[in-house]
Amino acid sequence: MWKKDEAMDKLIIEGGNRLQGKVAVSGGKNSTLAAMAAACLAPDVTVLENVPRCKDVFTLSEILQALGVRVEFEGQGRLVIDARELSTHVAPYELCRHMRASFYTAGLLLGRLGRAEVPLPGGCSIGSRPVDFHIRGFQALGAKVVTEHGYVKARVQKRRLQGTVFYVPRSSVGTTINLMMAASTASGTTVLQNAAREPEVVDTAVLLTAMGAKIRGAGTPTIVIEGVRKLHGAHYAVIPDRLEAGTYLIAGAITQGDVLVEGLIPEHITALLTKLEEAGIEITVDGEGVRARGRGELRAVDIDTAPYPGFPTDLHPPFAALMTVAKGTSTIRETIFESRFGYVDELRRMGANIRVEKDTAIITGVEYLTGAPVEAVDIRAGAAVVLAGLVARGKTEITNLENLDRGYENLVDKLKALGAKVERV
Ligand code: UD1
């Protein structure tokens, strides 16, 4: 479990080592969070494999436990979820306020109990992250929803939610997953149009299907869910973490090293691989995984973040770190979250030349970065300063590690195994 006193920890990185070797990718953090909520739709036991031990997973475990679910880690990466006794429809504020994905309990509780009271969620401060799309979706499914005293309170009007046709605004990932869960046990058929196509959506659909749900079209913009009366438990392995995998490939690239990331699904990060190649990194994909090898040059490239299969917004800050030491000027236009730029001030402290104009970071590569005291202001901004620290001259001291712990399993051990000089103190 993650302990509160770890919040005072620091990560010390002595930059300059070329990273070399193999690193195995962990199970997908975002996929796991959705899977944990989906598992609880069945009054049964579900076993999830490949679950990463990171703080967000522990927090959601505690939230589910507060609802009456038994959640237990068993050995390496196996999470046993016994939702037979789930009976509480109110999710605890103290835990939910820290994590956006806590709002998946709304779809779960509506689908399972017909009632949900869930706090307006927190999460990374990467922009205003309202839940209005989710609420509109629940209403379309026939729930009565009010927001009062910081809680979203939803209740089915008839005995169950009612199938509907709903256009998902901005192809929101969270909305698509929440509605897919809620609609799984609705009466009648639900059609989600403009659904998100992210691998995490497909993964949740595959799990729900293993639990007895009738879902087709996940991975396309139109998902059709035929409601069933009841779901049952399943045994399921979540997909590898494409964002963690991307971070380690960038670690190989930024240090002009040679890193093989094992166990990922290369098709999940095609957009990143294309951009790394464009930047001058040699990418090889084979049965073992994906290898990123520096060839002594790093060129500036331009990026627009976009919904899947476009360039993921979560890899914007790590890629920006890479561009701080590339030759030339690159632009990264953020189209998903308006405040993804928390990393900018931190990288500037390390000597990066970045300015932000509206939704775009303009980065001119410098000859070298210098180590400095910096903060992990959110999960991916945290990854950006770690990456910069790996290549900076001297010592980088990173605080607010809680944010890195939320999304990266065994970060220090994995970096050390690749030859980085890094300590947690
Ligand atoms: C998920 C991921 C996050 C990733 C993001 C986009 C998890 C736990 N998080 O976040 O890492 O960066 O997908 O791939 O899986 N929006 C609204 N109203 C809503 C819902 C969303 O305005 O009710 C907006 C958001 O502010 C954002 C956009 O829609 O601008 C897309 O957000 P969404 O896809 O829902 O992201 P999350 O599911 O929160």
Side-chain angles (χ1 to χ4, degrees), residues 31-32 34-52 57 64 69-84 203-204 206-208 210-211 231-239:
S31 255
T32 297
M36 289 169 72
C40 298
L41 276 168
D44 203 348
V45 180
T46 287
V47 179
L48 299 177
E49 305 279 1
N50 207 25
V51 170
V57 171
L64 296 175
V69 180
R70 241 194 67 223
V71 187
E72 259 169 47
F73 257 107
E74 252 182 26
Q76 186 60 38
R78 174 179 295 168
L79 196 66
V80 180
I81 300 178
D82 180 349
R84 284 176 293 191
D203 206 34
T204 312
V206 178
L207 168 62
L208 286 168
M211 294 170 64
L231 298 173
H232 52 75
H235 197 136
Y236 189 69
V238 297
I239 53 170

Side-chain angles (χ1 to χ4, degrees), residues 29-30 33 100-101 104 128-134 170-175 198 243 313-314 336-338 340:
K29 186 261 294 180
N30 288 347
L33 298 174
R100 174 89 181 160
Y104 286 146
S128 73
R129 296 177 82 180
V131 287
D132 51 333
F133 304 162
H134 300 243
R170 299 193 64 183
S171 73
S172 151
V173 176
T175 308
E198 268 67 2
L243 306 171
T313 169
D314 299 71
I336 315 284
F337 292 110
E338 66 267 30
R340 255 296 177 212

